[in-house]
Structure formats: C-alpha cells, structure tokens
Amino acid sequence: MFHGLSAFPLTPVNETGIDEKAFVALIQRLVAAGVDSIGALGSTGNYAYLNREERFRVLQLAVHSADGIPVMTSISAIRTLEVLRLAEDAQKAGASAVLLAPISYQALTNEEVFSLYEQVTRSLSIPLCVYDNPGTSHFHFSDELHGRIAELPHVGSIKIPGVPTDREAAKTRIKKLRESIPPHVTIGVSGDSFAVTGLNAGCEAWYSVLAGLFPKACLKITRLAQDGFADEAERLSTLLEPIWTLFHQYGSLRVVSAAAEISGLISSPSLPLPLQPLNQSAREHLKLILKNLQE
C-alpha cells in the first residue's frame, strides 16, 4: 500500500458543487496509467473545503472508479471527534488506508498530537499514514514523536514534507528517521520538487500532487529511482523544474487546477472561494510548460 507512486488528484469544486464527472475521469486517468495507489481528498483534493457528506461522496466515487487500485483518503479535521467520524466513513466507503495530519486552530503539544493518533488508531481496521505537513498544520514532528506514533497499531507510513536537496544529506536524514521507527513503517516523500531526491535517498513512496494529473511522467521517475537509475530519475525531475517553481510561487493546488483546465480535463472555475485561480501571466507561462508535458 505505502510503496511506489501514490497519486493525489484534484477534486474539482466551485460554488455550485463538485464536478463528479470530471473527478471520476481524473481517477480513471490514474487507473489507466497504473499508479500504485490513489490519495483522494488530500490537500489538492480540497478536503478542507468540503463538509463530511461531500467528503464521503468523493471517496465513494474514488473507490468505485479505482478498479482495485488502493485508495487512501484524508481524515484530517480540527476536532478529534470529527476525525473519528471521518475514519468511520473512510472504512465504510472501502478506503484501503487513511491519511491524518494534526490540524488545529490552537497550537498543539506533542502529547496532544500523540493522543490524537492513539485514539484514532484504536478505531481503525485499515492502515494509517501519518501526514507530517508543518506548512499547513504548523506542527513540527520530532523524530522521537514519530517513533512513538509509529509504534501504534495500524500505522504503516509517514508522509514527510521533503528532504535536503543534497544527496548525502538526504540519505542521512532518511537514515536518522528510519532509526526511530519500526521496520514495517515506510517513509514517503511529498513536496514534488523533493521527490526524486527522497526516492534516491531511500524513501519507499512518493506522495505526489503532479501525479494526480500527469501520472505517466511521475511514474517514469518513480520506476527509475526504484530500479537504481538515480541520475536519469534526477534528469527527468529537472525537466519539471518550471512546474516545481510555479508550485513554490503560487501553491500546488492553484497550479494543478489551472493545468487541468488548460489541458481540457476540467472546466473553470474549479476552486472553492475564497481561492482565486492563477493570474493571466502565470497561466500563459504554464501553458508553455505544459506543451512538453501532455499525456
């Protein structure tokens, strides 16, 4: 479940609702490419802008359309009670795993975060991936805390926010984290610009935003890294550097939403308010980049 390429598709949504047809088509695109797993309702999946019923519906569509490919879904929410309800919904809908970040309005302590994962894992019959995403959650995991949480039942992977750009430093970082967690718990890299370095450093999975839209390009990089062709994987990732730059400038959600619109995969508008689309200048720049990335 927590190995290889996990593609996180956009959930096209605006003030009139979710574009279910377009979402299903995006899932089918991932199935056709042969991704290893699908991450529904991640940050790019707009989970934070959907209510419980909408999240359940999107997950049902993803599982039904995945043709047997494992589907992981976010159950992140501010209150533990709501997380537990979402965990129940995930299992009811047939998800293969859940993804949980410690989201909170108030700053959380280490013990509060540990308690969250402890309570949630007690309620699960499917694996859980810990989402370490300080940019959104504003919580910073220590390796010691990762180790404690990784010992809990059903914890199967840690989704880390990135790695050092230097190859040797990245290997050292992954080695240090791995020393703190049980051997059955995998480490997956997110932050697409860091992905190839993370994979080459020993991460077992790439949790990818771009793969949710362009799975073939990301699969090629993943397979090369898995097979030991580190230099070629890096070369292909470098070709995507203009995309990574836009991700850093405007946020991956806005960029992927615009890319999906430009590629004719979804209609506009595809973001919930108050989010705004890319400005025209950035959109024109993205059009030029996508000419080399069409699948």
Side-chain angles (χ1 to χ4, degrees):
M1 173 70 219
F2 300 121
H3 292 78
L5 181 67
S6 187
F8 281 68
L10 174 75
T11 304
V13 59
N14 56 38
E15 301 316 292
T16 65
I18 298 163
D19 188 339
E20 294 188 1
K21 184 177 179 181
F23 178 72
V24 167
L26 291 176
I27 297 294
Q28 291 172 337
R29 186 178 172 89
L30 305 182
V31 171
V35 299
D36 297 300
S37 63
I38 294 170
L41 294 166
S43 300
T44 310
N46 282 316
Y47 82 85
Y49 299 92
L50 304 177
N51 62 37
R52 181 183 177 187
E53 291 73 23
E54 289 170 326
R55 288 170 76 162
F56 185 66
R57 176 58 179 163
V58 168
L59 179 55
Q60 283 183 311
L61 291 170
V63 171
H64 179 74
S65 305
D67 197 26
I69 293 177
V71 175
M72 176 167 65
T73 186
S74 169
I75 56 170
S76 302
I78 289 179
R79 290 187 63 190
T80 299
L81 178 61
E82 187 62 19
V83 174
L84 292 170
R85 287 170 175 162
L86 291 165
E88 180 182 350
D89 290 347
Q91 293 168 106
K92 182 179 178 182
S96 297
V98 294
L99 176 68
L100 177 59
I103 302 298
S104 183
Y105 183 80
Q106 300 293 334
L108 295 174
T109 67
N110 283 353
E111 288 309 309
E112 287 168 337
V113 170
F114 180 79
S115 175
L116 167 67
Y117 286 95
E118 186 177 41
Q119 290 183 63
V120 171
T121 53
R122 280 200 216 110
S123 73
L124 290 175
S125 60
I126 57 176
L128 177 142
C129 178
V130 176
Y131 191 4
D132 183 351
N133 183 14
T136 298
S137 68
H138 306 294
F139 181 83
H140 294 266
F141 284 86
S142 65
D143 287 356
E144 187 271 337
L145 180 58
H146 269 313
R148 290 177 63 199
I149 292 171
E151 295 282 356
L152 293 170
H154 304 296
V155 175
S157 187
I158 301 171
K159 183 177 189 275
I160 63 172
V163 293
T165 54
D166 178 77
R167 271 194 193 187
E168 292 307 313
K171 289 179 181 178
T172 299
R173 171 65 195 123
I174 298 305
K175 182 176 183 291
K176 183 175 182 294
L177 177 56
R178 201 175 298 287
E179 289 170 350
S180 301
I181 62 177
H184 70 273
V185 175
T186 70
I187 301 172
V189 63
S190 63
D192 283 355
S193 62
F194 301 100
V196 72
T197 307
L199 290 170
N200 288 336
C203 289
E204 292 94 340
W206 175 10
Y207 297 116
S208 174
V209 170
L210 190 66
L213 196 59
F214 299 112
K216 292 179 183 178
C218 297
L219 263 174
K220 191 167 185 179
I221 293 171
T222 304
R223 297 293 183 251
L224 285 167
Q226 287 177 319
D227 293 339
F229 298 101
D231 290 340
E232 180 62 10
E234 285 191 0
R235 186 187 71 81
L236 292 183
S237 180
T238 299
L239 295 177
L240 298 175
E241 191 62 41
I243 291 279
W244 309 151
T245 299
L246 288 178
F247 277 11
H248 290 301
Q249 286 180 314
Y250 300 101
S252 58
L253 174 57
R254 293 183 183 88
V255 176
V256 167
S257 169
E261 292 175 7
I262 292 167
S263 301
L265 299 172
I266 61 174
S267 58
S268 179
S270 59
L271 292 174
L273 295 175
L275 297 180
Q276 296 293 319
L278 285 187
N279 62 55
Q280 193 58 38
S281 174
R283 193 178 179 95
E284 291 301 321
H285 180 45
L286 180 59
K287 281 183 182 179
L288 294 176
I289 295 170
L290 292 179
K291 287 183 178 180
N292 298 319
L293 192 60
Q294 295 302 321
E295 296 188 355

